Amino acid sequence: MNIEKLIKYWKLIRPKYYNTLTRILILGGLALLSKPLWLDFLNIIFEELEFSLIGEKDWIIGLTIIVLALIYNTIHRYIDLNHERKSKPAFKNVSKNNIKTFGELCQEIIPILNDNKYIFQTTGPNSNAHNVEPLRTDLTIWNKLKKEVIAPNNLAIKQLIESNQKLIPNKHENLFREMVLHIEAFDEHLKNPEFDYSNFQFPNEFPKIILESSFEKAKTDKKMLKKKRWLEKRIAKLNITDSFIFGSTVYTPNKANDFDLAMLVEQNSIPLNGNLNKNLEDIKFDYKIKFKQDLHLTIFNKTEKSDYETFANDNNLKIVM
């Protein structure tokens, strides 16, 4: 067995005490193992009276409690490390209840828009005049997915809009109305291919408003801020020049499957030196245990500063650490 495997096993069994029950059991077991000398002295005094304050076998009880606590801790950590969210179509992940603000409404809509966008770009008929790729002629998959995925996705967006109209600011009412009309026209086209819905095209401004509003809401999300503070403390002692959060976390923090963090390190080469790399791997490991989510690190070294700045500019929606 090599050193790397031994390190992995040690990380798995080391008690991190994220679980309160584990902490209580460990401390209780240690207390029984390390009973004070004065209790032993009192036991000797009361020995002739056949009375004992602490039993002779308490060290066995204490050791057993510690072993059971570590087993529980190990199983718990193993489950956490192998925890994965099952992938579902976007319309099945909609939370229609407890939407109280416009930002929350937008955060429910944006994963559905992204799902539709991905399907259209990968299987759709490349009808955009600015598209330089060859025209896609085999539309079998597109015709299948637009009925099985895009149509129910659109219905979910329409229902979200109609059931939360009071949350939509006056300045965006017409835009959201255009989106509903587009959805209804597209649905009619699916039922009747001869129906021309060219007068009800997808409103291009709609995704921009949804994205920006989701971002503004995400910046104040309590769970996201908790993760941000935890990471800031962990990387504070490392040679990190600059860092920022990007990706799905900055607009749907409660729906994102992972957490993306970009870093500029005070080092001239990649791969990283042993100590820094180990510290970052430990942070990723501990993050997954604590938040049940993968932490993805995009790292730039000192000589790649211009690339880091370009990457930061390309991700205009970001939260600086």
Side-chain angles (χ1 to χ4, degrees):
M1 183 179 294
N2 58 36
I3 298 298
E4 290 184 0
K5 285 186 177 180
L6 286 174
I7 292 173
K8 287 182 180 179
Y9 288 140
W10 166 245
K11 284 182 176 180
L12 181 63
I13 66 173
R14 61 178 179 173
K16 294 294 290 185
Y17 304 140
Y18 291 125
N19 186 275
T20 303
L21 179 58
T22 302
R23 185 189 302 113
I24 293 172
L25 291 174
I26 291 288
L27 293 177
L30 288 174
L32 289 172
L33 281 176
S34 57
K35 61 183 180 181
L37 290 175
W38 65 269
L39 288 176
D40 288 331
F41 180 72
L42 288 177
N43 279 335
I44 293 174
I45 294 175
F46 290 112
E47 185 175 2
E48 294 184 2
L49 300 177
E50 299 183 353
F51 175 78
S52 176
L53 294 177
I54 298 292
E56 295 180 359
K57 305 296 184 181
D58 286 331
W59 69 272
I60 298 178
I61 298 174
L63 184 61
T64 302
I65 290 174
I66 291 175
V67 171
L68 290 175
L70 288 175
I71 291 174
Y72 171 82
N73 181 272
T74 301
I75 293 173
H76 178 72
R77 288 167 66 80
Y78 179 80
I79 293 172
D80 286 343
L81 285 173
N82 289 277
H83 173 81
E84 292 184 0
R85 295 185 181 182
K86 294 183 179 179
S87 177
K88 296 181 181 179
F91 67 88
K92 290 187 176 182
N93 285 324
V94 173
S95 301
K96 297 180 181 179
N97 299 323
N98 300 322
I99 298 177
K100 299 177 181 179
T101 67
F102 179 63
E104 291 174 359
L105 172 61
C106 292
Q107 287 183 344
E108 291 296 332
I109 292 175
I110 195 168
I112 310 176
L113 286 178
N114 288 340
D115 198 20
N116 282 356
K117 180 180 178 181
Y118 176 79
I119 291 172
F120 180 77
Q121 290 181 339
T122 55
T123 69
N126 291 344
S127 58
N128 192 323
H130 300 290
N131 199 317
V132 295
E133 296 179 359
L135 183 66
R136 186 178 290 115
T137 55
D138 185 358
L139 301 178
T140 304
I141 298 178
W142 163 248
N143 290 328
K144 173 181 173 64
L145 292 180
K146 70 181 181 181
K147 294 179 181 179
E148 296 181 0
V149 181
I150 291 184
N153 275 353
N154 283 346
L155 178 61
I157 294 175
K158 179 184 176 183
Q159 291 175 341
L160 282 168
I161 293 174
E162 292 180 339
S163 60
N164 295 280
Q165 287 183 348
K166 294 181 179 179
L167 300 177
I168 301 172
N170 293 335
K171 62 181 179 180
H172 298 319
E173 282 184 353
N174 288 337
L175 181 63
F176 277 68
R177 191 175 296 112
E178 287 178 23
M179 184 62 188
V180 171
L181 288 174
H182 165 74
I183 290 172
E184 292 175 344
F186 184 81
D187 185 59
E188 183 62 29
H189 174 70
L190 291 180
K191 297 175 182 177
N192 177 19
E194 300 299 322
F195 176 75
D196 181 13
Y197 70 105
S198 58
N199 292 328
F200 303 97
Q201 291 296 309
F202 180 83
N204 293 324
E205 189 71 11
F206 186 75
K208 179 182 177 182
I209 298 301
I210 294 295
L211 185 62
E212 291 177 351
S213 301
S214 297
F215 174 66
E216 290 301 317
K217 177 62 180 176
K219 288 193 296 185
T220 60
D221 184 82
K222 292 182 180 180
K223 292 182 180 178
M224 194 283 299
L225 291 175
K226 181 180 180 180
K227 295 173 183 177
K228 179 175 179 288
R229 287 191 294 268
W230 186 90
L231 285 167
E232 285 174 336
K233 290 179 180 179
R234 294 299 302 267
I235 68 175
K237 298 179 180 179
L238 305 180
N239 293 322
I240 306 298
T241 303
D242 196 36
S243 60
F244 63 87
I245 306 165
F246 68 101
S248 57
T249 296
V250 301
Y251 49 85
T252 54
N254 296 312
K255 290 180 176 290
N257 291 324
D258 47 37
F259 194 101
D260 292 298
L261 183 65
M263 290 181 171
L264 178 62
V265 301
E266 276 291 333
Q267 190 173 311
N268 293 326
S269 65
I270 298 288
L272 305 175
N273 67 52
N275 289 335
L276 181 56
N277 184 62
K278 179 181 180 302
N279 288 332
L280 292 176
E281 288 299 318
D282 284 345
I283 289 173
K284 290 169 63 176
F285 184 92
D286 293 342
Y287 179 91
K288 184 166 185 177
I289 292 295
K290 185 171 182 62
F291 296 109
K292 313 297 187 297
Q293 185 183 51
D294 285 322
L295 172 63
H296 293 162
L297 301 179
T298 302
I299 302 174
F300 297 82
N301 64 29
K302 192 175 181 179
T303 62
E304 299 172 325
K305 185 176 180 180
S306 60
D307 293 334
Y308 174 82
E309 292 172 348
T310 300
F311 187 74
N313 290 331
D314 290 341
N315 288 277
N316 57 322
L317 297 183
K318 56 183 175 293
I319 298 174
V320 178
M321 297 281 283

